[in-house]
Amino acid sequence: MKDSIRQEIEGKRREFMELSRRIDGLPIGPVRMVLKQKRNAITGQINLLRQMLIKEELKSDNPQHVPKIHLPTKMYTGTLK
Amino acid sequence: MAAHDHLVVLSPALTMGAATLTLDGTSATLQHSCDLVEDTVWGDTFKQRLVSLQDYQASFEALIDYTDNELDEDLDSLMGTTFAFAFRPTSSATATTNPEYQFTGGISSLQKAFQLGQIAKVSGAVMLTSGTLVRDVTP
């Protein structure tokens, strides 16, 4: 269960990064706006998956810390905003 | 006696989805509420209540930034989606003395004010849409 949630989070994280890469190269307009909305929605999904993972960890005998998932949006500067 | 750790608000960190208000924000209010439903019956001398559902919402105010890929565009792209909300009182790392409040929510209202001679401001409200509030203290 925990592993499948972790895998799902990793998949969403990759999707987020891929969208960020596409958004960076797009001119201002409706297409970029839709992609940004999609990217924002992924942050909410990752948030819920992390909550599920925290709950699963708390149920186990030896609960592990669930690290925050970093989702950088400004790839080219290399800084997290 | 334990030392008190009070705080003057100087540099909080607020992110909503991929939008960051950390560099443009001026105010944030977090409201955690809980319904208390009354179950007073004959014979009681005080009103009795049962703990019911909790709710979480936040409001914010910021100065509008129209730079490409910055605050205004980022906020507009939050509308109609549910996203991760995260706020901590100072922008340094999350810690027991700097907890981060996280939830998944959506914007219920977004107002932009343009008053003659005044700085343009944006304000809005975010409500929890699913899951619970997480008070994260781990870095």
Side-chain angles (χ1 to χ4, degrees), chain A residues 37-54:
Chain A
Q37 285 178 333
K38 213 170 152 187
R39 183 174 69 177
N40 285 327
I42 290 172
T43 66
Q45 290 157 8
I46 289 177
N47 216 15
L48 290 174
L49 285 167
R50 183 167 175 256
Q51 281 189 13
M52 279 168 67
L53 193 55
I54 290 170

Side-chain angles (χ1 to χ4, degrees), chain A residues 5-15 46 49:
Chain A
I5 298 174
R6 274 199 194 93
Q7 275 174 13
E8 211 173 325
I9 290 175
E10 181 54 24
K12 294 275 178 203
R13 198 186 65 82
R14 279 165 196 270
E15 206 180 325
I46 289 177
L49 285 167

Side-chain angles (χ1 to χ4, degrees), chain B residues 8-25:
Chain B
V8 174
V9 181
L10 290 174
S11 60
L14 171 57
T15 57
M16 299 192 290
T20 175
L21 275 84
T22 304
L23 298 175
D24 304 298

Side-chain angles (χ1 to χ4, degrees), chain A residues 32 36 40 50-51 65 68, chain B residues 18 68-69 94 132 136 138:
Chain A
R32 186 164 80 168
K36 281 191 163 191
N40 285 327
R50 183 167 175 256
Q51 281 189 13
H65 164 55
K68 246 176 249 170
Chain B
D68 181 29
N69 256 330
T94 309
T132 58
D136 200 346
T138 49

Side-chain angles (χ1 to χ4, degrees), chain B residues 42-100:
Chain B
W42 288 337
D44 285 334
T45 48
F46 277 74
K47 282 188 178 178
Q48 307 292 302
R49 292 179 180 93
L50 295 175
V51 172
S52 182
L53 296 169
Q54 296 181 60
D55 196 7
Y56 206 86
Q57 37 187 295
S59 57
F60 62 88
E61 191 175 88
L63 308 186
I64 297 181
D65 181 352
Y66 280 114
T67 310
D68 181 29
N69 256 330
E70 287 295 347
L71 188 69
D72 187 69
E73 191 190 1
D74 288 348
L75 283 179
D76 281 346
S77 67
L78 287 172
M79 291 305 283
T81 61
T82 58
F83 50 83
F85 177 101
F87 175 87
R88 54 185 196 278
T90 80
S91 50
S92 48
T94 309
T96 47
T97 51
N98 189 31
E100 187 169 81

